[in-house]
Amino acid sequence: MSTPVPATPYEALGGADGVQRLVQRFYDLMDTLPEAWAARRIHPDDLRGARQSLFEFLSGWLGGPPLYEQKKGHPRLRMRHLPYAIGPAERDAWMLCMRTALTEQVADTGLREALLQALGALAEHMINTRTSAAAATDARTPS
């Protein structure tokens, strides 16, 4: 008898528990990796709300329950991120955390690569300035 193939990435990740583990690891990395500072600095000190929002968004985006849309309507990610200066450094820091979390959490190479490609395109779409906010801040910080 063959093993059933998961119908969605959400199921392949292990449903809500798997998505929750991914999100928790992602934000743990963002909170601890010095090279993730560019992304971390545009988040609030308390990451609980960010963790919940990302979990809800990824749940629906990955083919599971549309929790984010049920609470807040259409994600409109770019619009919701416009108040924050997101440049290449912020994108790269965000992707470092996501790439590391996916590598640790997703054994299926094909699924992991597909998710990285899709999330990379999403992260690229969030860029709203070509000058990194982190670089601009670093340039103003006295040595």
Side-chain angles (χ1 to χ4, degrees):
M1 180 169 237
S2 64
T3 304
V5 176
T8 65
Y10 178 83
E11 290 174 1
L13 289 173
D17 290 342
V19 175
Q20 194 65 258
R21 281 190 302 275
L22 177 65
V23 168
Q24 294 307 315
R25 184 61 181 142
F26 169 81
Y27 277 111
D28 288 348
L29 289 161
M30 186 183 289
D31 217 18
T32 58
L33 291 176
E35 54 271 49
W37 179 82
R40 178 64 179 97
R41 68 181 289 286
I42 62 176
H43 286 77
D45 290 340
D46 184 343
L47 291 171
R48 283 180 288 196
R51 289 175 192 262
Q52 186 63 30
S53 288
L54 183 59
F55 167 73
E56 291 167 356
F57 169 75
L58 286 178
S59 175
W61 187 79
L62 293 165
L67 304 173
Y68 189 92
E69 289 187 29
Q70 290 170 351
K71 271 187 171 178
K72 299 178 182 176
H74 190 282
R76 295 186 203 121
L77 291 179
R78 188 162 168 81
M79 180 196 76
R80 292 182 195 271
H81 287 81
L82 279 176
Y84 312 101
I86 300 174
E90 290 76 18
R91 175 209 53 212
D92 293 348
W94 193 92
M95 282 304 299
L96 169 67
C97 298
M98 187 55 75
R99 185 178 313 103
T100 303
L102 284 168
T103 298
E104 293 174 3
Q105 303 289 321
V106 181
D108 181 325
T109 305
L111 174 61
R112 184 173 61 244
E113 291 304 318
L115 291 174
L116 281 170
Q117 185 173 10
L119 288 164
L122 193 61
E124 182 70 25
H125 184 66
M126 294 301 105
I127 291 177
N128 57 29
T129 181
R130 284 288 153 197
T131 304
S132 168
T137 301
D138 289 343
R140 291 191 303 264
T141 304
S143 301

